[in-house]
Each structure stands twice: as C-alpha cells, then as structure tokens.
Amino acid sequence: MARLPRASAGGSDGVAPTNRNGDSVCQTSGTLAHQSPIMRICWTCFWMGSLVALLSGGLGCRKPPPPPPAPALLASWHFVGGEAVNASTNGGTLKSLLALPESQALREQTLDKLALAPFAHLKSRWAYSTNDCGELLRPLFADLLSAESYFEMRGLSNQPPEWTLAVRLPAAAAERWLTNLETTVQTWTQISPTNITGPGYSGWRLKKHHSPDLLGVVLAQDWVLVGAGTGEALDLQAEFARRIHDTGRPVAVETNHWLTAMVDWPRLPALPFWLAALRLPQTTLTVAARDENLQTRMELQFSQPHHWQSETWQLPTNTIREPVVSFAALQGFGPRLQPYLQALGLELGLTPNQLCTWALAEIPFQTFLAIPHADATNAMERLAQQLPPLFNTNTQGLALGTWRATTNGQAIIWEGMPFFGGFLRPAYEEAEQGFLLGGLFPNTPRKVPPPPELFAQVLGHTNLVYYDWEIGAERLIAWRNMAQLALLLADKPQLRPDSAGAKWIEAVAPRIGNIGTTLTVTGPDRMTWVRQSPYGFTSVETILLVNWLESVTFPWGYELPAPPPPKRKTTAPPPSATKP
C-alpha cells in the first residue's frame, strides 16, 4: 500500500526547507541530540519563541485597549468652616458684621428657608409625600456654616455626574446626619435604605428611580460622606473613604485660604439657558483674609484664546467731579456688544469698546455713564432717531415715562419720571475726543476734580480689562433706593422695611469702607479677577443678594413677598339710644 505523502512545512511542492548552508532544517534539528546542552537550550528557546510569535500573529493579538477615561473634575469647594474663621486673627471687619444681631436674624431666616428648599424643588417627583422634613434638615444646614466641608463633582461628557460632600463633625452631629438624612429620603421616596460597611466606614445606601438614582451616606472616622450618582456604585464616595482611611482626611489641610472653589462651566451638564449663553470660562476661586478685609481672587481659564486687545484708555476726566463715591472703567466688550446692537437695530457707526461709570455722594441718582466715541455727534443723531421709538413701544402700559429726542437731535430726555430725569447727549473733553454721556440726574455744578490717584488706577495700564472702586457705606444706601424705585416702576413687590434683609442693610451700611475690584489679562487664554472688600460683595451685589434671600421662592426663584393688605380703619358704633 502506497504511503501517503506528508504535508510540507515549507510549501506544497513537498520539498523540505533548507537552512542557509543548504542543509535540511529537519536534518539540522535532527542532530540536536548530538549537540551540547547549551545548544539544545538555545534551539529550544528558538522554536518556542517562533511558536509563540506564530500563534500570537494567527490569533490576532494586539495592544490592550487603553483604559477608560477617568471622570473629570467638574466642580469642587473646600471651606474651612465658620469656627475656623472666627478663630482667625484676620478678617476683623467681616467677623464684626457677622456678630451683629441683624446678621444673626438674617442667618436664622435663611436657614429656615434652606431647610424647606429641597422638598420644594423635588416634591413634584414624590406626589405621595407631603412632609418637607424641614426640622430634620435645618440643623444640617447650620452645620455646613460652622464645620469644615469639602465637595467634589466628577463626570464624563454626556453622562450624569457623581458628587460627594464630606463634612467634618463631632460624633453626635455625625450620627444626626446619618439618621436625619436616612429618615428624610425614606419619607420622600418610600424606599428603605440598605446598610453598608467597608474598610473604615459604615452607613447606608438607597437605590431609587430618578437620576441620580443612587444615594449614600457613610461615616468615615470623623467625616460624614454624602454621595449621589447613577449606576451601581458610588466610586467617588469610596475614593473619599480610602483617602480618610489612609491619611485621616479627604483633602489636605487648607492653611492659606478660608474658601477655595472650582467650577468648570463649559463642562457642566444641563446648565440653564441664560447661564450657558454667558459662555463662562473655567473658574477657580479663593477667599482669604488680609488684615481687616477679604481678598477674593478668581482665575479664569478660557477654552479658546479670548482675543482681548488693549487700547488706550479714554476717560472724561474733566466731566468727573467731586464728591465721587464710585468709579468704574471697562474695555474690550465691543465684539460681544455688536450682535446685540444688530438685534435691536441700532447703528452707531463705530461699535463702542470702552465705558466708564461714576456716582456722586449728594443724590442717589447722580450716577453717570460715559462711552468714548470718535464721532459722538453723528452717533447721537442716529440714537435720537432709533432709541425713543424702541423704548416707548416696548414700555407701553408701564409707568416708565417716555424718551423724547430734542428738536436738534443732539440729546434724548427721559420724561415723566419721579425723583429723577435721565438724559443722553454728546460731550467733548477736547476737540478730538468725544463721549456719549448719560445720567439719571444733572451733574454737579462744582468743578472740583477727583484726586489724580483715582485715574492713575486705570490710565497707562495695558493689561487692565476692568476696574471698579466704591465707598460701600455711600453706595449701599443709594443702590437700595434705586432698586426700590425700579421695583415700584416695574409693578413688582419691594423689599419691605420690616424685613430681616432691610434691617441688615441699615445695620451694616455705616460699617462698610472701600471696595476695589480689578480684572486683568494674564495670558492669551487667561484672566485674573481680584477684589479687596470688607465681606466679599459690592453694594449692588449686596442689594441683589438681600432681595434674593428675601424671595418667597428662595433659593430657586427671585420674587419678593407681596406687601400685606392695608388695614382698614374701623370706627366704633354710636352708643345705643336705649342705653342710659
């Protein structure tokens, strides 16, 4: 019987492959047994390596896939706590303001509102629950003001983020957090949490139906960790617990600042449309005490070059007169202003790129605005034709008076308003330098210039975007009066004089001194914002903040409570004729 030929390793012609010398490979390898042990080991390694290479190539072995991207940091804060603030030797002005009885009253009122805020925001999801659990949540909000806290939010693009809040508390307060939060979420969701334990921590976890669908609260040493996310695990909370297990803290001790925070605005999901439209850059905030005042600093990191270009500052130095109590200057906003001008149908020839504002101490409405314009006269003629019809058409039915252009077209007058009369007209410092000058009240007739040091804060600075200075004691009351009038004219409730917020304004106003703010360019995609102030806010920001705190829908809305109905006068009935 004929022997079947074996398949050749070298090809289909049945010829055994040969080595470089013409010897058969099979023959060469067949002599392996007659070679030295070292040669046998070498040949064995050669054939095993060849076999591995052949199999790996045949099985399609490739580089392992890269690890999935780590969730990016979207927001964070680290607050040293009110107790540490009070123990500091700096920031005396802020601490004295916080100690006022009016500050304590406003604080207690705000805590009462915050305790009800979670249920007011989420109650539409839990129609079967009517318990706001405010009495359980209020002491927790109070702890956030006094205790050290650290917060992180992390996430991937197009995925719900995960967040964890760490609060350092005494044992009794920590136990209260675990118990009160467990009772609250069980009351609202009608779902019982599950007890969990891990290396160095214990607590509970709850799986619900709405995103974020996983909630958890655990105690790790003297830290309470509150976490929320989507899925089957709270990885960030577990990471916090590991840090505490290894070092005793979720974050390093902060020794230079009272507060640090970061918000990556472009990457935050589900921003309100008005906030997304601002296109805010990534912002890093620090607040530190410097002697008696606070220094607030923000580093702004833009995702693209901001293309800000410096130009020579133009200030109406002859028009600005004493007694000046506030002054601000801004440049570089022209590219952002242009689309709004086009949408309104306004044509100025050259788009403004600078402005400055100032106010005087004599009358609250002596507040002025000046916009440099190379052709102020012709620009004013265009505005005289365009602005009055635009304003009067859109304010029909409102008690906002009327805008009227003068017969020569060189000014716009705001008529029919109580307490003030607005105007807009061209003004010239020199023959070649014009401004569009506006105000709510006529300028003072005195021609006493402010000190040269005021203008020196702006003139000659090539990286300055914005400068603002004010005497807080003067401007806080002025802004309060102007805000009250604006609400009255808009037919909106005003801040009630007997409210905690109004009383607080009256108490703190005399104690507020100078407030200074600058915004400078520090790189092609970076800007730095710095403020020196007694408590972190300007006067107008303070008025907006107080009105928000007094809102009936705080913190989710901005609507002041309606005034109480007027009391009706009653007269005693006449004495009965039958009585003696």
Side-chain angles (χ1 to χ4, degrees):
M1 186 172 184
R3 179 179 295 178
L4 294 175
R6 290 183 297 178
S8 170
S12 60
D13 56 1
V15 179
T18 60
N19 61 14
R20 187 177 300 176
N21 298 323
D23 298 327
S24 169
V25 171
C26 297
Q27 177 183 357
T28 304
S29 59
T31 63
L32 184 61
H34 303 287
Q35 297 180 2
S36 66
I38 295 178
M39 290 300 298
R40 288 198 299 271
I41 293 174
C42 292
W43 274 109
T44 302
C45 293
F46 169 76
W47 283 111
M48 290 182 65
S50 300
L51 180 62
V52 171
L54 178 64
L55 291 176
S56 63
L59 294 176
C61 180
R62 296 179 177 86
K63 292 182 179 181
L73 181 63
L74 304 178
S76 68
W77 85 62
H78 186 189
F79 175 48
V80 299
E83 295 178 355
V85 169
N86 289 331
S88 172
T89 57
N90 294 324
T93 302
L94 173 63
K95 290 187 286 187
S96 66
L97 294 177
L98 293 176
L100 293 173
E102 293 81 2
S103 298
Q104 296 297 318
L106 184 59
R107 174 185 181 274
E108 295 302 310
Q109 175 182 284
T110 302
L111 288 174
D112 291 339
K113 290 185 175 183
L114 286 174
L116 305 177
F119 183 78
H121 183 61
L122 300 171
K123 63 183 178 181
S124 59
R125 299 183 180 182
W126 304 314
Y128 41 78
S129 178
T130 59
N131 187 351
D132 54 39
C133 296
E135 73 283 355
L136 298 177
L137 297 178
R138 192 188 186 284
L140 311 190
F141 282 106
D143 288 337
L144 286 177
L145 293 181
S146 61
E148 181 182 6
S149 62
Y150 180 67
F151 171 87
E152 278 190 15
M153 176 187 289
R154 294 182 178 271
L156 299 171
S157 299
N158 302 320
Q159 294 186 20
E162 178 185 349
W163 59 262
T164 295
L165 169 65
V167 187
R168 192 177 190 182
L169 297 165
E175 187 61 34
R176 182 173 61 215
W177 273 66
L178 264 68
T179 302
N180 289 14
L181 288 177
E182 181 179 8
T183 303
T184 298
V185 297
Q186 186 171 355
T187 300
W188 290 350
T189 65
Q190 300 297 300
I191 301 174
S192 298
T194 302
N195 292 330
I196 59 171
T197 58
Y201 69 87
S202 62
W204 56 265
R205 187 163 293 174
L206 181 143
K207 184 76 171 178
K208 58 187 186 68
H209 307 297
H210 300 91
S211 180
D213 57 13
L214 189 61
L215 303 176
V217 181
V218 300
L219 177 60
Q221 298 184 24
D222 54 350
W223 292 85
V224 171
L225 307 180
V226 183
T230 300
E232 300 301 325
L234 296 176
D235 296 332
L236 185 56
Q237 187 184 65
E239 180 184 334
F240 273 39
R242 284 193 297 270
R243 298 180 199 170
I244 296 171
H245 181 268
D246 295 340
T247 67
R249 299 179 55 84
V251 65
V253 176
E254 180 57 68
T255 58
N256 297 321
H257 305 96
W258 285 356
L259 173 68
T260 62
M262 191 283 293
V263 181
D264 194 346
W265 296 104
R267 303 184 69 168
L268 277 184
L271 283 176
F273 75 93
W274 61 269
L275 196 53
L278 296 177
R279 295 179 294 169
L280 296 174
Q282 182 187 97
T283 304
T284 302
L285 168 73
T286 60
V287 179
R290 297 290 183 263
D291 297 325
E292 291 298 303
N293 289 328
L294 295 185
Q295 183 187 80
T296 309
R297 185 182 187 94
M298 285 194 291
E299 299 291 343
L300 310 178
Q301 177 67 60
F302 296 84
S303 57
Q304 301 290 335
H306 47 64
H307 300 300
W308 184 89
Q309 294 182 350
S310 175
E311 59 182 38
T312 302
W313 284 100
Q314 300 173 8
L315 304 177
T317 54
N318 295 331
T319 306
I320 301 176
R321 304 166 185 172
E322 287 283 42
V324 177
V325 293
S326 74
F327 171 77
L330 171 68
Q331 72 165 255
F333 58 86
R336 287 204 172 192
L337 177 64
Q338 182 60 32
Y340 293 98
L341 294 178
Q342 292 178 346
L344 293 173
L346 299 179
E347 174 56 47
L348 297 178
L350 298 175
T351 301
N353 199 43
Q354 288 189 35
L355 63 82
C356 72
T357 66
W358 68 98
L360 305 184
E362 297 173 339
I363 300 174
F365 301 103
Q366 281 187 301
T367 301
F368 305 94
L369 167 73
I371 300 174
H373 201 287
D375 192 7
T377 300
N378 289 329
M380 188 67 242
E381 291 179 353
R382 296 188 186 97
L383 289 175
Q385 298 174 2
Q386 300 165 0
L387 277 180
L390 180 65
F391 178 83
N392 297 334
T393 300
N394 288 279
T395 58
Q396 289 183 356
L398 301 176
L400 294 178
T402 58
W403 286 11
R404 178 182 61 84
T406 58
T407 55
N408 61 359
Q410 285 299 296
I412 296 175
I413 306 299
W414 194 350
E415 296 179 328
M417 298 303 298
F419 309 116
F420 69 90
F423 67 90
L424 180 66
R425 60 177 176 81
Y428 288 89
E429 293 282 304
E430 299 175 0
E432 68 278 5
Q433 180 55 63
F435 293 87
L436 296 174
L437 176 64
L440 296 177
F441 205 86
N443 199 359
T444 177
R446 294 183 296 176
K447 295 185 178 181
V448 180
E453 292 80 6
L454 177 62
F455 300 132
Q457 303 298 318
V458 175
L459 297 175
H461 292 268
T462 58
N463 67 334
L464 181 65
V465 180
Y466 175 70
Y467 172 80
D468 178 74
W469 162 83
E470 67 176 34
I471 299 175
E474 295 279 354
R475 294 305 291 161
L476 185 58
I477 299 302
W479 277 113
R480 180 202 60 185
N481 295 339
M482 288 189 287
Q484 293 288 78
L485 179 59
L487 291 170
L488 175 66
L489 297 177
D491 198 23
K492 298 291 184 180
Q494 297 172 286
L495 185 67
R496 293 174 53 178
D498 61 345
S499 65
K503 294 178 180 179
W504 181 80
I505 291 174
E506 289 285 351
V508 303
R511 296 171 168 86
I512 303 175
N514 289 298
I515 302 172
T517 307
T518 60
L519 177 63
T520 56
V521 172
T522 51
D525 57 355
R526 296 183 67 89
M527 292 186 181
T528 301
W529 181 95
V530 179
R531 172 174 293 167
Q532 304 284 349
S533 64
Y535 59 94
F537 297 96
T538 64
S539 299
V540 64
E541 293 166 358
T542 300
I543 297 301
L544 294 174
L545 174 63
V546 168
N547 284 355
W548 180 47
L549 294 176
E550 289 290 345
S551 170
V552 294
T553 54
F554 172 82
W556 313 117
Y558 199 92
E559 180 181 355
L560 291 171
K567 296 181 180 180
R568 294 183 178 180
K569 294 182 178 181
T570 59
T571 56
S576 173
T578 60
K579 292 185 178 181

